[in-house]
Amino acid sequence: MTEQFKFHMPTQILFGRGLVKHLADYIPGEKVLIVSDPFLYKNGVAQAIGDGMTGKKVAYFSDIEPNPSCESVDAAAAVAREHSADCVVGIGGGSSMDVAKIVSCLVTNPGSIYDYYSGGTKKLCPRTTGLICIPTTAGTGSEVTNVGVFTNRSTHVKLPMVNNEFWPDIAAIDPDLTVTLPPAVTASTGMDAFCHAIEAYWNKESLPLCDMLAMGAMKLILKNVKKAYDNPQDMEARSAMSKASLIAGVAFSQTRTTGIHATSFPLTAEFGASHGIACSITLPAFMRISGELEQEKMQELASYLGYSCLEDFADGVEQLMGSMKMPLRLHELGVKEEDIPHIAEVALSAQIIQLTPAVMNMETVERLLRSIL
Ligand code: NAD
């Protein structure tokens, strides 16, 4: 049988230290809205990038919270419309970049995000506003995906929204922006990138190009995440982590994610775990069951990364997480035995869970969660 696959990556990628200070030539039109979070506004990073946009009229919306709410999206969209933005630039972690994606669409699409997102009945018309994403964490890869993840504040439900209008026109990755990340955020976002890579690799919809990208990303992360955690100024490690996050992002942008991300949604929305922690806490457990349907492929990966077998590989990743003081057990997030059926039910409601290379049902997901309670 002839192998067939499709690979679609419309985003132009710019990578390099210091490049974000000179983006003016890449920006369409005159009016720019920069979407960022309070930290990046107060420490001057968002403004320094805006100041480099010579000749542009730059406005700022800087109130994006982690795991952004639909209400924040609507508030940012109101500013974008008032400013008649020709281009929206998201600067930050996944939270600010995801908001920039939907805001760039809402400039010309009327109404609230709720009209288009989960249960909304309207369809986004093609965006005419430019979209540039600039990551300041090395984790989500949102700069190269067509996904935005938003939380409904009243129901506490966090859900991804996938739309082809969300592919940024440009992803500008400057590792210098990650140097201020505190060690705990370096660890959690770095392991989020590892989850993207491994979930692309073991995905039931994996493809050869993405396997190669994912393997390379995992190697870079295993070699560099602890170095960046121990020494935040280590620019070689920081650059490697930015590159790995980007590459893992490209990989999972084609395959989507799997059980790890499906389970992360309730752990974040209901137990307050940061995205990177909510994902990586189940990583070793999902690794241990991934041999169920992908024994040979996972063994190849373990060997490529220098481990004798899948069990050693999972132990090694768990030890690495422990060495960065990351939580390894669900009770550390406040999860109790009686919460397990509900977490499993919410996780199973996300279709991506069925892309995991193991049987995923109430019994198996509850068992996995209990194994790390
Ligand atoms: P984040 O954007 O939520 O930021 C977390 C914290 O880190 C914030 O307090 C922020 O101020 C701080 N921070 C960011 N950059 C910093 C820097 N350089 N120095 C110091 N502090 C900094 O974190 P994140 O993990 O990057 O993003 C998580 C969000 O992205 C979640 O909502 C998740 O669901 C989403 N996500 C989206 C995709 C996608 O493809 N769209 C993929 C994965 C995750």
Side-chain angles (χ1 to χ4, degrees), residues 37 39 67 93-95 98 136-137 140 142 145 147 158 177 180 275:
D37 67 41
F39 173 81
N67 308 301
S95 300
D98 285 359
T136 63
T137 60
T140 69
S142 172
T145 75
V147 184
K158 178 177 176 180
L177 298 177
T180 48
H275 178 71

Side-chain angles (χ1 to χ4, degrees), residues 20-37:
V20 291
K21 292 183 198 126
H22 313 286
L23 286 179
D25 291 348
Y26 292 96
I27 294 174
E30 191 193 12
K31 294 180 188 151
V32 181
L33 176 72
I34 291 186
V35 174
S36 70
D37 67 41

Side-chain angles (χ1 to χ4, degrees), residues 20-23 27 32-53 58-64 89-92 96 134 136 177 180:
V20 291
K21 292 183 198 126
H22 313 286
L23 286 179
I27 294 174
V32 181
L33 176 72
I34 291 186
V35 174
S36 70
D37 67 41
F39 173 81
L40 293 160
Y41 189 75
K42 284 188 197 125
N43 78 353
V45 165
Q47 279 150 305
I49 295 173
D51 290 347
M53 297 175 182
V58 183
Y60 295 86
F61 183 92
S62 310
D63 285 336
I64 302 305
V89 179
I91 302 175
S96 297
I134 303 177
T136 63
L177 298 177
T180 48

Side-chain angles (χ1 to χ4, degrees), residues 188 191-192 195 260 275-284 321 326-327:
S188 61
M191 293 314 292
D192 181 27
C195 292
I260 289 177
H275 178 71
I277 295 293
C279 287
S280 44
I281 200 160
T282 62
L283 167 64
M321 287 168 51
M326 297 177 74

Side-chain angles (χ1 to χ4, degrees), residues 13 16 18 32 58 68 87 89 135 156 218 318 338:
I13 297 168
V32 181
V58 183
C87 183
V89 179
H156 299 288
M218 283 184 261
E318 196 168 53
E338 56 266 35

